[in-house]
Amino acid sequence: MTEIILALDVMKKDKAVSIVQKAAPYIDKVKIGYPLVLAEGLGIAEILSEYKKPLIADFKVADIPNTTRLIAEEVFSRGFSAIICHGFVGHDSVRACVETAHENMGECYVVTEMSHPGAVDFFHGGVAERIAELVCEAGADGIIAPATRPERTAVLRSLIGNKKILSPGVGAQGGDPDAIAGIVDGIIVGRAIYESSDPAAAARQYSCFRTGI
Ligand code: BMP
């Protein structure tokens, strides 16, 4: 089964609640990041907890271990079930994020390669592969890898075994869910759902990937 993860990058609490309410039957988790949290505060997590969807904190933490730990502790104290950090910061920072997540019964996902065109400037040439190795050494729960480059995500899959892969880039960024669903554990979809005039119908279109049918 491939989970559908709603990337809730809207700027207003009411819109966020309305989208989650409509899409709820067709999604498995909700990913929240800087746009919504900077606009409405971290308290949005408690408001959305009513919909019983695990919340992923996408702060792409990229800092020294101590600061990483402080950020992660705050995230988990607010009811998030997972946090995303960057991998390029190195083993001690990633380990701090993983440890804090696990101490709080949460998960840590590490950005290994990004989905946008410019990601190739630095992630290609062996960096993503090294981050994938670090993910295994640090005991992280999984990685973020691009739906826009399924062939790259397949390479990363071969390096991380059965750790989870959450994959953004489907829909607005042009990633084809048919091409990526079979090699990842979750597809992250934002604008294709929350910018739709009918978010429920838009989310429902991805349901076939949840059931594998
Ligand atoms: P959209 O489907 O609207 O393109 O949104 C994708 C979401 O995934 C956004 O929240 C974005 O920040 C995030 N994301 C991404 O697109 N590519 C990455 O490599 C990593 C991400 O977290």
Side-chain angles (χ1 to χ4, degrees):
M1 173 181 149
T2 308
E3 292 186 328
I4 304 303
I5 301 162
L6 171 64
L8 195 57
D9 296 324
V10 297
M11 306 303 285
K12 293 278 177 219
K13 179 186 78 179
D14 291 351
K15 174 137 194 208
V17 168
S18 157
I19 301 281
V20 172
Q21 207 168 28
K22 288 172 182 154
Y26 312 109
I27 61 171
D28 299 288
K29 293 178 179 160
V30 177
K31 181 177 82 66
I32 298 170
Y34 292 112
L36 183 55
V37 168
L38 291 176
E40 293 287 7
L42 208 46
I44 191 73
E46 196 185 333
I47 293 168
L48 293 175
S49 66
E50 187 190 324
Y51 299 95
K52 313 280 180 224
K53 301 291 175 187
L55 299 175
I56 301 173
D58 180 6
F59 294 137
K60 294 189 184 67
V61 186
D63 218 313
I64 61 168
N66 185 62
T67 310
T68 297
R69 184 172 277 281
L70 294 173
I71 294 168
E73 277 168 359
E74 184 63 19
V75 158
F76 287 108
S77 77
R78 298 302 193 102
F80 285 88
S81 69
I83 188 166
I84 296 174
C85 69
H86 263 300
F88 66 77
V89 284
H91 68 277
D92 47 357
S93 289
V94 170
R95 200 160 280 159
C97 203
V98 172
E99 282 172 7
T100 312
H102 292 176
E103 284 160 16
N104 288 278
M105 308 302 157
E107 291 184 313
C108 174
Y109 291 87
V110 181
V111 177
T112 304
E113 176 170 329
M114 296 187 74
S115 59
H116 59 302
V120 304
D121 293 349
F122 291 103
F123 285 104
H124 283 195
V127 171
E129 285 83 348
R130 283 176 61 192
I131 295 173
E133 284 166 16
L134 170 56
V135 165
C136 296
E137 287 159 17
D141 299 276
I143 66 169
I144 307 296
T148 48
R149 286 182 222 98
E151 71 290 354
R152 290 287 304 150
T153 296
V155 169
L156 297 171
R157 163 62 78 206
S158 73
L159 296 174
I160 62 160
N162 60 5
K163 287 192 184 294
K164 293 184 205 164
I165 302 182
L166 308 185
S167 193
V170 166
Q173 296 178 53
D176 173 8
D178 283 310
I180 196 77
I183 51 173
V184 300
D185 302 274
I187 297 172
I188 298 172
V189 189
R191 285 164 288 178
I193 294 175
Y194 69 72
E195 285 185 348
S196 168
S197 56
D198 187 346
R204 192 170 55 231
Q205 286 185 348
Y206 296 100
S207 289
C208 56
F209 300 107
R210 295 170 89 192
T211 57
I213 297 167

